[in-house]
Amino acid sequence: MRPAIALFCVCAFFAPPLAADEEENDSDLPEWAENHVEPFRARVGNWVDNTSRNIDSFFGGDQSSSVDNGSYLRLGQEIDWMEGDGTSSDISVRYRIDLPTTEERLRLIIESDPEESQGTLADQGSGRLYNDQRDRRTSTLGLSWLERRDKRDNWSNRIGAGVRLRLPLDPYVRFTSERLWDIGEGPWQLESYNRLSWFNNSGYSARTQWDIGRPLSENRHLRFITTVQWREEEDTLEYSEVAQLNQRLNSRSALRYSAIAIGESVSNPRMTNYYLQTRYRRDIHKGILFADVIPELHFQREVSHDPRWAMTLRLEMYFQRDIKRDYFHF
């Protein structure tokens, strides 16, 4: 397994963009597979969109048929391997029902996993695991009040409240604030994301993330991300530092190179994990079917920082009426 991972990392780093005629082809599937996948995707995507709009129309009004709707359903299959821990596989389902016209600023949202269920920063930092694989009992139904502010000009705030749909029902309240600054006259930008929340069964949690980055070229973007998180049920302050280079190879493929450090505690601060990661993402079919290959090299404190290889292979399919081709948010 190690030679295969090392070979992939080298090949991925020096991989050239595909030729123009390859970019114009929007699918890697053979014709027989495409003929099966596309009708299925269209039926399920239309069902997801129509269902959310019908619910939105019941609560909100006639505008539900014309406004943008962020509802989606995502199915995924993942194989995860860590040296010393063996291989595991999982099938995941994630959904979000967005009801934008319930009120001008008050929005009803049903989703499969709240942010607070995503585990520790060690769980989140890798990006190898789906958020919804960490706790399958975290569907929420809630109202979110949105401020109509551009985060480039003012702090953009959002207040939400609702219940986690499991027995016993778990009420929650959440406050989120975001801001984006241009630094001087140059290309650098600084973005801040902050969240404070309370769940009846798990208590308080707080998270702040500061992301500074700039484009290096038309297809490359550099980011440095600092995250601090505290959760009452863990009662430990966690923090992470990430240096990240995103590279778009062509219209359907992208790479991300990351160096990540994760630590914890304030009274006795210590680093618990360092690792290097390469993530290759490919749009296999028309913005609805994606594949990820994610090799990593970990240096964990619990094993005396001895190097440990890890690899994740992931296939995911999105069901929406309007497909958004967003690889790495850059």
Side-chain angles (χ1 to χ4, degrees):
M1 190 72 175
R2 288 190 187 186
I5 296 175
L7 178 61
F8 173 81
C9 292
V10 173
C11 293
F13 187 85
F14 293 103
L18 296 180
D21 57 339
E22 291 180 282
E23 290 193 48
E24 292 176 359
N25 183 14
D26 59 0
S27 179
D28 295 330
L29 298 180
E31 184 176 355
W32 64 267
E34 186 173 346
N35 291 338
H36 285 82
V37 168
E38 187 57 35
F40 175 66
R41 196 284 309 171
R43 287 197 301 271
V44 177
N46 288 337
W47 174 79
V48 170
D49 188 80
N50 290 334
T51 299
S52 61
R53 292 183 187 276
N54 288 337
I55 297 174
D56 194 24
S57 177
F58 177 80
F59 287 103
D62 297 335
Q63 294 181 349
S64 61
S65 61
S66 58
V67 299
D68 291 336
N69 191 292
S71 300
Y72 66 84
L73 172 68
R74 185 185 71 191
L75 302 180
Q77 170 69 57
E78 184 170 286
I79 300 174
D80 184 56
W81 173 83
M82 169 70 82
E83 185 176 4
D85 294 338
T87 303
S88 61
S89 63
D90 203 358
I91 297 175
S92 63
V93 179
R94 185 180 183 185
Y95 60 87
R96 176 185 172 96
I97 300 177
D98 189 20
L99 309 177
T101 68
T102 48
E103 287 290 345
E104 184 177 1
R105 297 184 181 182
L106 192 64
R107 178 170 294 189
L108 181 63
I109 295 176
I110 305 171
E111 57 186 340
S112 59
D113 59 308
E115 297 171 338
E116 292 81 0
S117 70
Q118 296 175 12
T120 66
L121 290 183
D123 296 329
Q124 301 171 35
S126 167
R128 291 165 53 232
L129 298 179
Y130 276 142
N131 294 338
D132 51 298
Q133 286 181 306
R134 298 176 186 124
D135 189 343
R136 296 186 181 280
R137 303 167 300 166
T138 55
S139 296
T140 58
L141 169 65
L143 291 170
S144 183
W145 183 83
L146 311 173
E147 283 188 341
R148 285 196 165 185
R149 291 182 177 180
D150 188 338
K151 63 182 179 180
R152 293 176 179 271
D153 300 322
N154 299 281
W155 285 95
S156 177
N157 301 318
R158 184 166 64 253
I159 300 174
V163 293
R164 185 181 296 183
L165 301 178
R166 66 181 185 187
L167 294 177
L169 293 178
D170 189 9
Y172 74 87
V173 179
R174 178 191 297 140
F175 173 77
T176 305
S177 185
E178 298 179 77
R179 188 75 161 89
L180 178 64
W181 297 272
D182 293 319
I183 301 178
E185 301 296 329
W188 289 94
Q189 287 188 321
L190 175 63
E191 186 169 8
S192 175
Y193 172 86
N194 308 277
R195 186 201 70 221
L196 177 64
S197 57
W198 170 82
F199 280 76
N200 183 61
N201 292 343
S202 56
Y204 291 94
S205 68
R207 179 187 180 96
T208 181
Q209 184 174 88
W210 295 81
D211 182 347
I212 183 170
R214 58 160 294 173
L216 300 179
S217 67
E218 183 179 351
N219 298 317
R220 289 180 173 86
H221 195 280
L222 179 66
R223 299 172 65 189
F224 299 95
I225 306 167
T226 300
T227 304
V228 179
Q229 175 176 286
W230 176 83
R231 298 191 304 161
E232 186 176 3
E233 60 182 348
E234 298 286 340
D235 197 23
T236 299
L237 188 70
E238 306 168 275
Y239 44 88
S240 68
E241 295 285 347
V242 181
Q244 193 176 94
L245 176 64
N246 296 293
Q247 178 183 6
R248 193 179 296 276
L249 301 178
N250 51 61
S251 61
R252 296 174 53 211
S253 301
L255 276 169
R256 168 178 289 171
Y257 311 100
S258 301
I260 303 163
I262 297 175
E264 62 182 23
S265 182
V266 174
S267 58
N268 183 27
R270 60 182 183 177
M271 304 308 295
T272 58
N273 193 5
Y274 302 90
Y275 60 97
L276 303 174
Q277 179 191 91
T278 300
R279 178 178 178 180
Y280 174 76
R281 185 163 176 82
R282 174 73 172 172
D283 177 0
I284 296 178
H285 179 69
K286 299 183 178 180
I288 63 173
L289 186 62
F290 294 87
D292 292 288
V293 181
I294 311 173
E296 296 178 340
L297 180 60
H298 286 253
F299 303 88
Q300 295 172 306
R301 185 177 185 274
E302 63 183 24
V303 292
S304 302
H305 300 291
D306 291 336
R308 300 175 69 194
W309 289 97
M311 171 72 84
T312 295
L313 305 176
R314 178 187 298 153
L315 188 68
E316 62 185 14
M317 191 169 187
Y318 288 83
F319 297 94
Q320 291 174 290
R321 176 167 290 174
D322 298 320
I323 302 302
K324 298 179 181 179
R325 298 172 182 253
D326 189 0
Y327 293 93
F328 295 124
H329 306 288
F330 77 97

